[in-house]
Amino acid sequence: MVLHDAPPLVPFPASVQLGQGSVPLRSVRLSGDPDAVALLRSDLESLPGGAPLDDEGTTRVALTVDPRTGSAEGYALDAADDGIRITGHDAAGLYYGTRTLLQLLRRESGGAGSGFWSVPEVRIEDAPRFGYRGVMLDVARHFFGVADVKRWIDRAVGLKYNHLHLHLTDDQGWRIQIEAWPQLTGAGSGGDATGSGGFYTKDDLREIVAYAAARHLTVVPEIDLPGHTHAIGLGYPDLVEEPTITEANVTEAAALHQPLPVHGEHYAGWGVGHSSVKIHDERTYDLIRDVLLEVAALTPGPYLHIGGDECLGTSAADFALFFARAGRLAAATGKTPLAWHEAGAVEDLPAGMIGQYWGSAEPQDDHAAHARRFVERGGALILSPSDRAYLDMKPRPDHPRGLAWAGIVPLRTSYDWDPETLLDGVPASAILGIEAPLWTESVTTIAEADSLAFPRIAAQAEIGWSAQNGSERSWESFRARVARLIPAWEASGIAVDRAAIDDPSATPPDGAVAPQTTATAPSNEETA
Ligand code: ACM
């Protein structure tokens, strides 16, 4: 018995009507929109055991776009005995319909080892709650090459995320080629003892952008300013201040057996708040103007993130002076500038600038006030409460990766928040969406990233997509659906932290029966 018999769909669709039977995929004929067909073909071909594709196939899967169907990014999916039809409101909606189809697949035993895939008879109508559903990958602390970023994109789009925020620069590394300032990717793109240095050439970033765009994912580049800029000083020492080292920096470095930052030398520690570009040197703004123009030209999306977090050694007046200018330079590229919530403290920001809230789910007054300032100036907010949405917080104390400065964040805690009630005084209309960041101080490979992200990345996906009062928007349902998705994730090479499901702190308090977590493959028997 399982607690819930809803199909294992995450994020859960707006409406699901299950029929009685199932539709076998013994031989499949794909038709319709060529881009959607090509992507689904490749996904079906890489399933364990394969799904036989044949132009004469008996089960027809028709993929079309019809703007009369639902709303933006929405789709309808019908699986019945005469075949499967997925109709997207737009190309993104059609793609998301095919992601739902993949989650519906169940392996049937055909006898004598002749297994095949099937989907239940079902009618689904679906559309997202928020237009911005992001994941962030910190490629500065540890660099991830193009192939790894594509793997991260695959994970994100399978859960219907539509933005990838790339944290391209930080104290530990500068990861994007800038033609006007070639020394940025000299020593500044080095790595630490794990050998994780590197940078994206412009062609590399174009390749990432194109791969993402084909999957309806927009890349949001971040150049973190004016702090988190120690790496600039390896190529251009005159443009960066000497590190500001606080007692907290010294205590933390000693506790973690890490070095303190030294001006002009590679920094591999985890300390924050010690670096700043020179705010009163005009050449700083020449560099920033060139960097923002080159990065904006590489990324067709509407947003350009300019950081603004943790400028702990910078006076409020200098921060305001700098950010007003940086905001104007970002806006002059034609993009909508985006910044972490601290920048809300600055009065003179471009109208319509977007803020990204990363404070706690119980917001401190000043954090909430800074976030609200973006809305008051006609902008909007992306919400990433660090003790809910940060994928790099440890899901349990004994997890080998992750940090805990925002707390231990078990799966159940990460699932437990509502973007519309997070910040008082912010109307729902001012919430662009949510983002789940993964910082990489303790992460060097995608497998390690997976072990922190899965399944919590699915929780944030559901918060971003599914209605708060949706029929299955409950911890018990979510947990049961995730448990049933784990085998498929693992079969596709994702290193899931299974303990997250079994974590006693995540046990429903009402003594409800725990769902099955050890299924070897999603199958019909499970719900029998
Ligand atoms: C942040 O976590 N410093 C945005």
Side-chain angles (χ1 to χ4, degrees):
M1 166 194 164
V2 293
L3 190 65
H4 269 263
D5 58 7
L9 299 173
V10 176
F12 202 75
S15 154
V16 177
Q17 287 167 276
L18 270 178
Q20 296 296 321
S22 66
V23 182
L25 301 186
R26 289 178 192 272
S27 122
V28 177
R29 176 163 44 121
L30 294 177
S31 66
D33 179 271
D35 293 336
V37 164
L39 287 167
L40 183 60
R41 177 184 302 280
S42 128
D43 291 319
L44 292 174
E45 282 170 351
S46 59
L47 285 173
L53 298 166
D54 182 343
D55 286 346
E56 308 296 315
T58 46
T59 302
R60 177 154 178 249
V61 179
L63 307 177
T64 52
V65 171
D66 182 346
R68 290 169 303 182
T69 301
S71 51
E73 298 184 282
Y75 65 90
L77 183 156
D78 272 295
D81 54 10
D82 62 347
I84 298 170
R85 280 183 308 282
I86 305 177
T87 311
H89 172 83
D90 44 27
L94 176 56
Y95 181 65
Y96 296 133
T98 63
R99 301 308 91 185
T100 296
L101 179 70
L102 292 170
Q103 286 188 344
L104 285 169
L105 291 171
R106 303 183 292 197
R107 192 74 183 159
E108 308 274 2
S109 151
S114 61
F116 62 97
W117 294 95
S118 77
V119 297
E121 287 185 356
V122 70
R123 161 91 187 161
I124 294 176
E125 289 169 16
D126 201 9
R129 179 182 184 190
F130 293 111
Y132 187 106
R133 304 174 306 280
V135 288
M136 190 206 83
L137 186 63
D138 169 8
V139 296
R141 302 276 180 7
H142 281 95
F143 180 67
F144 292 83
V146 173
D148 277 342
V149 176
K150 289 181 180 175
R151 291 166 69 202
W152 198 245
I153 289 171
D154 291 342
R155 283 145 174 73
V157 295
L159 293 163
K160 303 186 176 77
Y161 282 100
N162 63 359
H163 286 81
L164 170 67
H165 169 181
L166 282 179
H167 183 74
L168 289 166
T169 65
D170 211 306
D171 293 318
Q172 294 80 357
W174 183 279
R175 308 301 182 193
I176 177 65
Q177 178 189 14
I178 301 295
E179 279 166 61
W181 297 79
Q183 281 152 238
L184 287 169
T185 45
S189 69
D192 62 12
T194 65
S196 57
F199 67 92
Y200 305 119
T201 64
K202 291 196 157 181
D203 279 345
D204 287 341
L205 192 58
R206 286 188 192 104
E207 186 178 337
I208 289 169
V209 165
Y211 186 87
R215 290 156 182 79
H216 305 279
L217 188 90
T218 302
V219 171
V220 180
E222 181 187 357
I223 304 296
D224 201 352
L225 299 165
H228 291 274
T229 45
H230 181 89
I232 296 176
L234 275 67
Y236 299 99
D238 293 350
L239 293 186
V240 173
E241 303 284 359
E242 289 283 335
T244 308
I245 300 188
T246 60
E247 235 176 84
N249 289 132
V250 174
T251 311
E252 183 185 53
L256 298 170
H257 307 288
Q258 290 181 349
L260 287 164
V262 176
H263 187 60
E265 291 183 15
H266 177 71
Y267 175 62
W270 296 359
V272 296
H274 49 76
S275 59
S276 176
V277 290
K278 286 203 175 145
I279 283 169
H280 299 281
D281 186 327
E282 276 308 303
R283 283 222 309 152
T284 295
Y285 301 94
D286 294 340
L287 177 139
I288 288 167
R289 178 183 301 107
D290 293 339
V291 166
L292 295 181
L293 280 169
E294 290 194 29
V295 170
L298 282 170
T299 48
Y303 305 119
L304 181 54
H305 202 311
I306 54 173
D309 58 324
E310 297 179 306
C311 299
L312 306 178
T314 309
S315 71
D318 274 0
F319 183 69
L321 180 83
F322 174 87
F323 230 77
R325 288 190 69 174
R328 282 197 291 275
L329 291 172
T333 68
K335 306 288 183 186
T336 300
L338 212 166
W340 298 106
H341 70 243
E342 288 99 313
V346 176
E347 280 312 312
D348 185 16
L349 289 183
M353 188 163 174
I354 310 283
Q356 183 168 11
Y357 176 78
W358 65 279
S360 149
E362 302 282 336
Q364 290 181 27
D365 289 346
D366 57 334
H367 295 176
H370 292 157
R372 271 193 297 273
R373 293 291 295 130
F374 287 94
V375 178
E376 288 158 9
R377 277 188 291 257
L381 289 172
I382 294 165
L383 302 175
S384 302
S386 47
D387 50 2
R388 297 291 185 278
Y390 269 34
L391 300 174
D392 58 305
M393 289 300 110
K394 281 183 183 289
R396 50 194 162 80
D398 60 349
H399 193 289
R401 301 286 150 191
L403 308 183
W405 55 260
I408 302 293
V409 184
L411 178 61
R412 183 174 190 165
T413 305
S414 85
Y415 188 69
D416 181 23
W417 67 285
D418 176 2
E420 283 181 32
T421 58
L422 186 74
L423 296 172
D424 288 342
V426 172
S429 59
I431 299 171
L432 210 54
I434 64 107
E435 185 177 292
L438 184 89
W439 303 94
T440 57
E441 288 93 334
S442 69
V443 173
T444 60
T445 64
I446 292 294
E448 290 171 0
D450 282 345
S451 77
L452 283 166
F454 280 83
R456 292 180 300 175
I457 191 172
Q460 301 317 304
E462 184 147 305
I463 287 163
W465 180 283
S466 306
Q468 191 71 23
N469 61 1
S471 62
E472 298 294 323
R473 179 71 173 85
S474 72
W475 161 247
E476 290 78 8
S477 170
F478 175 72
R479 184 187 192 195
R481 287 179 282 120
V482 162
R484 290 171 62 200
L485 282 175
I486 286 176
W489 285 336
E490 289 180 338
S492 71
I494 296 173
V496 181
D497 181 40
R498 280 180 170 255
I501 291 286
D502 300 324
D503 183 344
S505 68
T507 301
D510 56 6
V513 179
Q516 175 175 338
T517 60
T518 50
T520 50
S523 75
N524 277 343
E525 280 100 59
E526 208 178 308
T527 47

